[in-house]
Structures are given as structure tokens and as C-alpha cells.
Amino acid sequence: MGLDWSKIAAEAAQETDRQLAGDISSLTTMTDREIEELFPTHDDKQRLAELMEIVNGAGSRNRKINRIVDNIEDLAGTVLTIAGKLS
């Protein structure tokens, strides 16, 4: 009986997503559960992490705005999800 590599890979990906959600929640007021609900896929969490890196990073407000604008195609869904949570 051999190893089920696809199952092992899927479990590893889920664990990575849980860890990423935990890391993100430590930078926000959202809980791990809220992050999982709002950003269910690994790609969603990656985009949220990218946005949080910009927001929490060094630099002026204008520089941060420019970085977000430069990456708006990738980050627009994340911004909308967060704005929806706030309303």
C-alpha cells in the first residue's frame, strides 16, 4: 500500500492556509475564522497578505497608495471584501 501523495499535498496546503490565516489575523482585528470565511482560498489569503504588507509597511501614505494602485488588478477583490466587512 503506497502513500497517497495527492492527499498528503492537499493536507499540507490546508495547513499552510491555516497558518497564513493565523499570521494575518495577528496583524489585523479579524479572527482566524473571519479570515477563513472572507478569504477561503490560498490565493485570496496571499492577496490579503500582500495588501497588509503594503498597508503596514514603511513609507508615506502616498507611496502606499501608489503601490496599491500599481497592483489594483490583483488586490481589488481583497479591497472589496474588506470594505464589505466594514459596512
Side-chain angles (χ1 to χ4, degrees):
M1 184 172 200
L3 293 174
D4 185 348
W5 290 105
S6 60
K7 181 180 177 185
I8 292 169
E11 289 172 357
Q14 288 176 343
E15 180 60 25
T16 300
D17 283 350
R18 280 191 294 274
Q19 289 175 356
L20 183 55
D23 291 344
I24 293 169
S25 70
S26 71
L27 299 172
T28 70
T29 59
M30 290 186 282
T31 65
D32 292 3
R33 184 175 179 185
E34 288 173 315
I35 290 171
E36 286 292 339
E37 289 172 0
L38 292 171
F39 305 97
T41 70
H42 180 73
D43 288 342
D44 292 336
K45 290 177 190 72
Q46 286 291 105
R47 285 189 287 274
L48 177 59
E50 182 179 344
L51 179 60
M52 295 307 300
E53 181 182 323
I54 293 169
V55 170
N56 292 322
S60 70
R61 179 178 169 86
N62 284 341
R63 184 177 173 131
K64 292 176 185 183
I65 290 169
N66 287 336
R67 285 190 62 200
I68 291 170
V69 169
D70 290 344
N71 295 291
I72 198 63
E73 286 185 28
D74 291 334
L75 301 177
T78 303
V79 171
L80 287 175
T81 299
I82 292 171
K85 172 78 172 153
L86 297 175
S87 60

